[in-house]
Amino acid sequence: RSVVAMGDVIFADIVDVGGRRFRKQSGSIGETLERVRARKAAEGRRRAALPEDEEDGRDFRDDDDDDGVSARHRGASTLREEDGFAQHAGGPWTALVSADADLARHVTRHDPDAIAQIRRDHDASIALPAGPSTKALPSGIEPPPPGSILVVAPSLTAARDAKRALELALQRALRSPKLPYTHFVCVPLCLGDDGERLVRVVRAFHRDVLSSPYAEQCDIEPSIAHEPGHAHLTLCMLKLFSDEARSRAIAAMDALDAALKEMGVGGVESGGASAEPSIQLEIKGLDAMNSDFSKVDVLFLKVREVGEKGAMSGICDATLRCFANAGLLSRKDEHKPVKLHATVMNTRLRHRGSNRGNGGDSWEQRRPFDARRLMASHGDLDCGVVSVKTVHLSKRGEYDVEAGGFYRRVAEVRVGS
């Protein structure tokens, strides 16, 4: 297969490479897989308690049985399951919702009324893994495994409604600008021989500008220089705050792999037919996100596909389509055109290392720099031509030392021959 998936890191050593610190990927099979195992183990324990006819799915409640308890099961002392909901000893019903602790905390901190309303409207309780609410769980109900939220309600109808309301609250949280992106899909520009040349050129550019007599006067400081070893083209940004969302992202990469093969730009399978020649990108010339070079926040290298094939545009379109179909893009991001660029300076990085609590995504405290003299001396910066060989699903803020310090790859689709 052309899609390669990587497990999430639980523990990682910090190593120093060339004066820069990176998180080294461990040999662990991954946090996500551990959570899946825990969830499957809990599922197995629940199924072990089911009578044989219920386990085979041959006994369901009537539609008009609002409390979800058939005459046969009223007063039963066993566990009963229906469509992902479980009834415990003929009493409360429970359901698990896939969500990371960070997403759950965001809801409880920024949308507490939603949780309170679920309790009022459905007489339901919400329990987080290892949270204080687990101490109040009814007897016989296990706390939720990591990566899940537990809903407890007095009836099947109430449990369904409470779960739906909780999922809506989580969806609102994902749309909030206060919740940072966790992953992104990108085309690396700094790997291979072409990428090494780009890295050398950008490093020399940074040295020239930062040592220039105008750097201090123009408010150009080392912290805003974007690490050239991270150079990439961003195709889309993602908020993957659950095991379920991360699984859908892997599936979207599978769909992208198939789409690119159909377009004739996918990677070559072993023994398969040859793909089209590699896509070539010219990385040349500086520009800014705004038109006023006296007040710049993001300075970038312009990117242009060599030739008239439009293959790179096709990759961008296919990526957005696959991740939109997977339900992983916001409406804004789904219809936002991809602007091909490689960042070399970014004022958001002025705040690197500060405890800002939102992943460094706030634009409110930015202090722009004056790029006019920089553009006069380096505006035609030429990094040559780079071949597109792969599309990565990458994790923000985590780096792979064995890949030269580039963002940690979660999944990969090969491109070209």
Side-chain angles (χ1 to χ4, degrees):
R1 292 170 52 116
S2 293
V3 177
V4 182
M6 312 292 169
D8 282 344
V9 174
I10 301 178
F11 305 108
D13 298 325
I14 303 297
V15 298
D16 189 281
V17 178
R20 296 185 60 82
R21 303 182 72 199
F22 300 100
R23 181 182 286 110
K24 183 177 180 180
Q25 185 169 337
S26 71
S28 169
I29 59 175
E31 178 181 311
T32 297
L33 295 179
E34 289 297 329
R35 284 199 288 261
V36 170
R37 280 201 192 92
R39 191 173 290 113
K40 286 184 177 179
E43 177 80 6
R45 288 193 295 272
R46 285 196 292 269
R47 289 196 174 277
L50 289 172
E52 183 178 352
D53 60 342
E54 291 182 40
E55 186 174 0
D56 291 341
R58 292 194 292 265
D59 190 23
F60 296 95
R61 73 175 181 89
D62 295 331
D63 290 340
D64 59 353
D65 190 2
D66 288 339
D67 65 359
V69 185
S70 68
R72 179 180 176 188
H73 287 297
R74 287 190 181 96
S77 60
T78 57
L79 183 72
R80 179 183 176 218
E81 292 193 351
E82 185 169 324
D83 298 332
F85 295 83
Q87 187 185 30
H88 301 259
W93 286 81
T94 63
L96 290 175
V97 176
S98 181
D100 291 349
D102 287 342
L103 179 58
R105 281 193 293 266
H106 183 93
V107 172
T108 57
R109 291 174 182 173
H110 299 284
D111 197 6
D113 291 343
I115 303 300
Q117 187 169 355
I118 291 173
R119 295 192 179 104
R120 288 194 306 268
D121 293 351
H122 311 293
D123 193 21
S125 58
I126 306 296
L128 307 180
S133 54
T134 59
K135 298 178 181 178
L137 289 175
S139 176
I141 297 180
E142 295 184 358
S148 298
I149 303 175
L150 181 68
V151 177
V152 184
S155 71
L156 177 57
T157 298
R160 281 178 172 153
D161 292 343
K163 181 183 178 184
R164 188 178 302 114
L166 176 59
E167 289 171 339
L168 290 174
L170 295 174
Q171 290 172 14
R172 287 196 299 272
L174 290 172
R175 292 194 297 267
S176 170
K178 295 180 180 179
L179 192 69
Y181 292 101
T182 60
H183 296 71
F184 61 102
V185 182
C186 71
V187 172
L189 298 177
C190 56
L191 307 180
D193 294 339
D194 297 342
E196 290 178 4
R197 180 178 63 247
L198 180 146
V199 169
R200 289 195 301 270
V201 172
V202 175
R203 287 200 196 284
F205 160 73
H206 284 158
R207 286 194 300 269
D208 288 347
V209 172
L210 293 171
S211 62
S212 69
Y214 59 78
E216 183 176 358
Q217 178 184 352
C218 295
D219 207 4
I220 300 173
E221 57 186 35
S223 67
I224 70 172
H226 190 272
E227 167 56 42
H230 299 164
H232 64 276
L233 304 179
T234 300
L235 305 186
C236 64
M237 301 292 295
L238 304 166
K239 296 183 180 183
L240 306 180
F241 279 94
S242 69
D243 292 337
E244 187 268 341
R246 287 184 285 272
S247 294
R248 279 192 283 149
I250 297 295
M253 290 292 282
D254 282 326
L256 177 61
D257 182 42
L260 297 188
K261 285 185 171 65
E262 186 175 344
M263 292 166 50
V265 297
V268 180
E269 298 284 1
S270 178
S274 298
E276 292 291 323
S278 298
I279 300 168
Q280 303 287 315
L281 301 177
E282 181 185 62
I283 316 294
K284 180 179 180 181
L286 294 173
D287 203 349
M289 288 296 181
N290 58 306
S291 57
D292 184 358
F293 283 106
S294 68
K295 296 179 180 180
V296 170
D297 279 315
V298 177
L299 187 74
F300 61 85
L301 280 159
K302 293 183 284 188
V303 178
R304 181 186 68 85
E305 182 177 353
V306 177
E308 304 296 332
K309 294 187 298 182
M312 192 63 227
S313 177
I315 291 176
C316 296
D317 292 342
T319 301
L320 293 180
R321 183 171 61 255
C322 290
F323 280 85
N325 290 344
L328 296 173
L329 297 184
S330 67
R331 292 178 182 175
K332 178 191 71 173
D333 291 340
E334 180 179 350
H335 300 290
K336 183 179 180 181
V338 176
K339 181 178 178 64
L340 296 180
H341 68 283
T343 301
V344 293
M345 288 186 173
N346 192 334
T347 58
R348 178 174 57 84
L349 303 178
R350 289 192 197 274
H351 302 280
R352 271 188 300 195
S354 63
N355 184 20
R356 301 171 66 195
N358 67 349
D361 286 326
S362 174
W363 293 67
E364 296 176 357
Q365 302 181 38
R366 288 194 165 195
R367 191 175 75 245
F369 65 94
D370 187 343
R372 289 175 293 184
R373 297 180 68 178
L374 178 158
M375 290 298 295
S377 58
H378 295 83
D380 59 351
L381 186 67
D382 189 350
C383 296
V385 174
V386 173
S387 297
V388 176
K389 298 179 180 178
T390 183
V391 177
H392 284 192
L393 171 62
S394 296
K395 180 75 168 68
R396 291 188 72 199
E398 295 184 7
Y399 309 96
D400 187 353
V401 156
E402 295 179 2
F406 192 67
Y407 297 95
R408 187 170 66 81
R409 175 185 52 182
V410 178
E412 175 182 18
V413 172
R414 307 287 184 184
V415 177
S417 55

